[in-house]
Amino acid sequence: MSEQSPVVVLVHGAFAESASWNGVIERLHANGVDAVAVANPLRGVRNDATYVRDVIAGLGRPVLLVGHSYGGIVITGAAGAANPAVLGLVYVAAFAPDENESAFDLSTRKPGSTLGDALTAYPVSTGGNELAIRLDAFHQQFCADLPAQTAGLMARTQRPVTERALQEGLPTDQPGWQTAPSWFVIATEDRNIPAAELRDEAVRAGARGVREITGASHAVGASHPDEVTEVILEALAACTTADAA
């Protein structure tokens, strides 16, 4: 594989972790596409986007950024100011914010999210609170279309997010989707982010493609890896063709 061949960089969101992309990575590798899942710190938008930019710089290759949930905010920031290494953006049940918009703002702009009632909070020594989804609520809230045993493992390996991260607005007036092409995967039974909100964000971003997956939960990358991989491959093909041209 060429050192300059693109790599797919997958960024998980709150209450997930990098292994949530395993099914997608397996399918990308089967198609000859290199991919890496980033361990998103989930400490704050500016901090997390800076970390992903560092990962991109370390790879030294063109990247297609894929974000899930809050990870969409992170890739939007990491690709901001026309980051030349970023070929495109894929939002998988993910926020695509504009300047100063936060996960909290966008998740409550349309009715339908039940996440607030499923959370538990506890203080951290560095200040503020961390949030996690209660174990008894995780399956129905986050991944209702996965088996209970799988949901149980995901609940116990979830990465908590700081309250600050969900309340911090995108700190750039040049969100990545303004300069990089974007694709969206929308889960119709998403209980964290209303599908109606993500449809609006896809329109605002001028998305090249939108795939709605009927009956899918918020954890659509884990429950429907075939469809998500298809969208990523579609985006990668479009971006590399345009780059070659």
Side-chain angles (χ1 to χ4, degrees):
M1 185 175 293
S2 166
E3 290 185 1
Q4 286 304 306
S5 62
V7 56
V8 175
V9 175
L10 303 127
V11 182
H12 68 80
F15 322 119
E17 42 92 38
S18 53
S20 61
W21 292 113
N22 282 356
V24 171
I25 291 174
E26 288 171 354
R27 287 158 176 79
L28 289 172
H29 285 179
N31 281 274
V33 174
D34 196 7
V36 60
V38 172
N40 187 358
L42 304 177
R43 301 296 88 186
V45 173
R46 187 183 297 273
N47 173 84
D48 299 342
T50 298
Y51 174 70
V52 172
R53 280 196 295 271
D54 288 345
V55 171
I56 294 168
L59 289 168
R61 291 159 57 187
V63 302
L64 177 71
L65 289 179
V66 182
H68 173 240
S69 192
Y70 165 82
I73 299 181
V74 175
I75 68 169
T76 301
N83 186 331
V86 177
L87 299 174
L89 302 165
V90 180
Y91 293 93
V92 179
F95 299 111
D98 205 344
E99 184 181 14
N100 293 325
E101 292 180 341
S102 70
F104 179 80
D105 295 334
L106 297 178
S107 64
T108 57
R109 196 150 64 179
K110 302 277 188 186
S113 176
T114 57
L115 179 61
D117 293 336
L119 294 177
T120 183
Y122 47 89
V124 290
S125 60
T126 53
N129 292 317
E130 270 195 338
L131 304 173
I133 298 177
R134 298 192 324 271
L135 294 183
D136 65 293
F138 193 93
H139 190 189
Q140 290 306 310
Q141 179 62 44
F142 197 81
C143 53
D145 55 348
L146 284 170
Q149 183 176 10
T150 302
L153 290 172
M154 291 176 69
R156 287 162 175 80
T157 58
Q158 66 174 298
R159 296 273 303 278
V161 64
T162 64
E163 200 167 30
R164 172 189 171 189
L166 299 185
Q167 294 176 343
E168 184 181 352
L170 185 74
T172 178
D173 61 358
Q174 292 183 287
W177 49 261
Q178 285 189 354
T179 53
S182 61
W183 286 258
F184 282 69
V185 176
I186 297 173
T188 64
E189 297 302 317
D190 192 331
R191 298 181 184 181
N192 281 21
I193 310 173
E197 171 59 31
L198 296 185
R199 293 183 189 111
D200 285 354
E201 293 177 31
V203 171
R204 179 175 67 180
R208 300 279 187 92
V210 178
R211 174 82 67 93
E212 292 209 15
I213 302 181
T214 302
S217 71
H218 186 62
V220 61
S223 62
H224 292 268
D226 288 326
E227 293 94 325
V228 171
T229 302
E230 286 172 5
V231 174
I232 294 170
L233 292 173
E234 173 191 334
L236 190 62
C239 290
T240 52
T241 300
D243 190 55

